[in-house]
Amino acid sequence: MKKATPTKTIVKNVIPLSTFCLLFFTSVVFAQHAVSTHAGSSQGYTDATGTAAKFKAPTGICISPDGSFLYVADYSGHRIRKINVATKAVTTVAGNGVSGYTDASGSSAVFSYPSGICISGDGSVLYVSDYGNSRIRKIDLSNQAVTTIAGNGNFSYSDNVNGLSASFNSPTDVVNDHDSILYISDTENHLIRKFNISTSEVSTLAGMAGIAGFQNGAGTNAAFRFPKGMAVSSDGLTLYVADNGNNMIRAISLLNKNVTTIAGDGTAGYADNITGAMAKFSAPNGVSITPGDPTTLYVADNGNHRIRKISTLTTQVSTIAGNGAVPPASTFADNATGINARFFYPTNLILSPDAMNIYVADQGNFRVRKIQTDLSTGETNTISSELDCEVFPNPVSGQLSIRFPSGFSADKMEFYDQAGRLVITEDRLTSGNSGLLTKDLSALPVGSYFLKISNGDKIISRKIILFAK
């Protein structure tokens, strides 16, 4: 069997009721990004609380649907760990710290460099990409029983077969799409694979088997180079991929398998506050989409030691945390905001269900870090206090109310869908003495919309979530 070699670059929905304040078609305006350590300290293995706990190399990370627990694939620790989000207590779910392969329960089970992890919609099952065994494993959280669901242990490629007959070559990440499909980044095969949970069939979604390269196109006409972290958009339409070897963020339409490039020019480097193909990444390893918001994607930019953000509407790329410091400079700075914080080879990340916190597997620092997004403050933040308003209810099923100061007037009100199409427009608004405007949205399809109100050169915008009655 091929021996896995540890590497520092291995990767491994609850919608907030508050509204988000946006510059039109730009990213969410955050008050700050406070970074702290949630668990972990120096390298090792200790089940304890907070910084008293130790990890060998935290790589994959996911969170329970209710936000109560984080699960971590401790890569060179050969274990799956659990963190109580509220108490920060760290415990071991499965694995005994020895590299090998055994299906069993709890510490009797054996993993080899587990790198990616995700959880079922009901929070009862974990799925693990067991990189060193070239297999996909399942953990029943009711009894910690570990079983293999896909992969025969051969580091090769066999497709369109039953799970245990399929071959992978060092799968790095796994993500769950509505408990029907698992997507697997088959890294050394340069593929994105599919596992049908109901039928156990393994097939190829995109990429050319065994061929490392770059090409946009549909399905097997597209090419990747060592794809790693993945995330399914909150609307279920797109799979985002950290194309590690191409230094790009790619997108796969789950409707037609078409692969496109979201950001990155293909060369390793750092270029920020810029759009799409002009941006630069260095071996991006992990991606995570904001719950309930398909327009905001976060990236663990491994080689740049930063956490980046991409607007999927505009492809604008920016840095939210980390200053890129590398040895001999300190690679760890904590209890700081934004670029005052320091990471060391962050491998993957996940947002809390309420989108208020980002948890990062900071592999090189042997820690799980927390970044506060402060999205909860978005409801009262506006571009100009002259245009302050209250939008309610949000989410909404029909009639939306907008309250302005008494006698407010504006030039135009517009609603755009998440693809940027104008779906409603109304000119010359006035709120009258009541300060209240209403708009019936029940004729629109369920989904996310952006409300833009313009008054001269002043603009406010809100994200609106529309759901069915």
Side-chain angles (χ1 to χ4, degrees):
M1 177 181 289
K2 176 181 174 181
K3 179 174 172 29
T5 302
T7 170
K8 59 193 174 186
T9 59
I10 291 299
V11 176
K12 37 172 193 14
N13 290 322
V14 178
I15 299 170
L17 294 182
S18 60
T19 56
F20 299 147
C21 177
L22 307 173
L23 287 169
F24 183 59
F25 283 170
T26 63
S27 54
V28 178
V29 178
F30 295 148
Q32 61 178 348
H33 297 282
V35 180
S36 59
T37 294
H38 204 68
S41 51
S42 58
Q43 187 178 31
Y45 170 69
T46 303
D47 279 345
T49 298
T51 55
K54 292 184 179 182
F55 297 88
K56 283 284 187 72
T59 299
I61 190 166
C62 68
I63 194 166
S64 61
D66 64 0
S68 297
F69 298 99
L70 291 164
Y71 295 93
V72 178
D74 196 357
Y75 178 74
S76 56
H78 312 295
R79 294 178 172 96
I80 305 303
R81 316 284 291 277
K82 180 173 76 170
I83 306 173
N84 184 308
V85 170
T87 68
K88 303 182 182 181
V90 178
T91 54
T92 297
V93 176
N96 62 9
V98 176
S99 175
Y101 172 68
T102 302
D103 278 346
S105 293
S107 60
S108 296
V110 183
F111 295 86
S112 181
Y113 302 103
S115 58
I117 191 167
C118 67
I119 194 165
S120 62
D122 62 3
S124 66
V125 172
L126 292 174
Y127 298 101
V128 179
S129 54
D130 195 0
Y131 177 88
N133 283 314
S134 238
R135 291 176 165 101
I136 305 303
R137 317 282 289 276
K138 181 176 81 169
I139 306 175
D140 185 336
L141 288 174
S142 66
N143 56 13
Q144 288 77 51
V146 178
T147 55
T148 299
I149 60 173
N152 56 19
N154 296 327
F155 289 76
S156 59
Y157 172 70
S158 60
D159 205 37
N160 297 312
V161 293
N162 180 271
L164 298 180
S165 299
S167 295
F168 301 90
N169 194 350
S170 306
T172 294
D173 202 14
V174 58
V175 295
N176 179 22
D177 185 12
H178 298 96
D179 290 332
S180 59
I181 298 291
L182 294 179
Y183 295 106
I184 301 157
S185 56
D186 192 1
T187 300
E188 298 287 338
N189 276 326
H190 312 290
L191 298 173
I192 305 301
R193 311 283 291 278
K194 288 175 59 176
F195 174 81
N196 187 306
I197 294 175
S198 298
T199 67
S200 296
E201 183 183 21
V202 175
S203 58
T204 295
L205 176 68
M208 302 178 186
I211 299 176
F214 168 72
Q215 184 167 296
N216 287 327
T220 55
N221 290 318
F224 297 86
R225 187 183 300 274
F226 303 109
K228 295 192 175 180
M230 302 174 296
V232 178
S233 64
S234 52
D235 58 14
L237 299 178
T238 305
L239 180 69
Y240 293 101
V241 180
D243 193 357
N244 181 275
N246 280 319
N247 302 296
M248 291 171 168
I249 306 302
R250 313 285 291 281
I252 307 174
S253 168
L254 296 178
L255 298 177
N256 58 19
K257 302 184 182 181
N258 192 48
V259 178
T260 56
T261 300
I262 299 297
D265 70 356
T267 60
Y270 177 69
D272 204 42
N273 295 313
I274 203 166
T275 57
M278 294 184 289
K280 288 181 183 289
F281 297 87
S282 180
N285 257 45
V287 289
S288 184
I289 199 77
T290 303
D293 176 12
T295 69
T296 305
L297 184 71
Y298 293 91
V299 180
D301 193 1
N302 185 273
N304 278 318
H305 313 291
R306 291 175 167 100
I307 305 303
R308 315 281 290 278
K309 181 179 68 173
I310 305 175
S311 165
T312 62
L313 288 176
T314 66
T315 71
Q316 179 82 9
V317 178
S318 57
T319 296
I320 68 162
N323 65 4
V326 296
S330 170
T331 57
F332 176 72
D334 209 30
N335 297 313
T337 57
I339 61 172
N340 294 313
R342 292 182 179 179
F343 297 84
F344 194 34
Y345 294 109
T347 55
N348 221 323
L349 69 176
I350 193 72
L351 277 93
S352 60
D354 61 8
M356 292 177 64
N357 296 300
I358 304 169
Y359 296 96
V360 180
D362 190 4
Q363 189 187 73
N365 280 316
F366 320 115
R367 292 168 166 89
V368 173
R369 312 284 290 280
K370 182 175 78 170
I371 306 174
Q372 292 180 321
T373 64
D374 292 320
L375 287 174
S376 60
T377 67
E379 184 172 5
T380 58
N381 289 340
T382 59
I383 297 169
S384 167
S385 61
E386 297 175 45
L387 295 183
D388 198 7
C389 67
E390 179 185 7
V391 180
F392 63 95
N394 191 23
V396 61
S397 62
Q399 183 165 283
L400 184 72
S401 296
I402 309 166
R403 190 186 305 280
F404 293 99
S406 177
F408 172 84
S409 63
D411 300 327
K412 184 175 291 188
M413 175 172 65
E414 299 162 302
F415 284 86
Y416 291 80
D417 67 14
Q418 60 194 19
R421 295 179 292 250
L422 179 65
V423 294
I424 294 177
T425 182
E426 187 172 319
D427 295 328
R428 294 180 295 280
L429 305 177
T430 180
S431 64
N433 292 331
S434 67
L436 189 67
L437 292 173
T438 59
K439 194 67 183 177
D440 186 5
L441 304 181
S442 59
L444 294 176
V446 169
S448 302
Y449 294 87
F450 293 93
L451 164 64
K452 176 188 176 185
I453 299 175
S454 308
N455 189 29
D457 61 352
K458 306 292 186 183
I459 298 173
I460 58 171
S461 186
R462 296 285 195 272
K463 178 178 177 181
I464 308 298
I465 304 296
L466 180 63
F467 67 93
K469 291 183 178 180

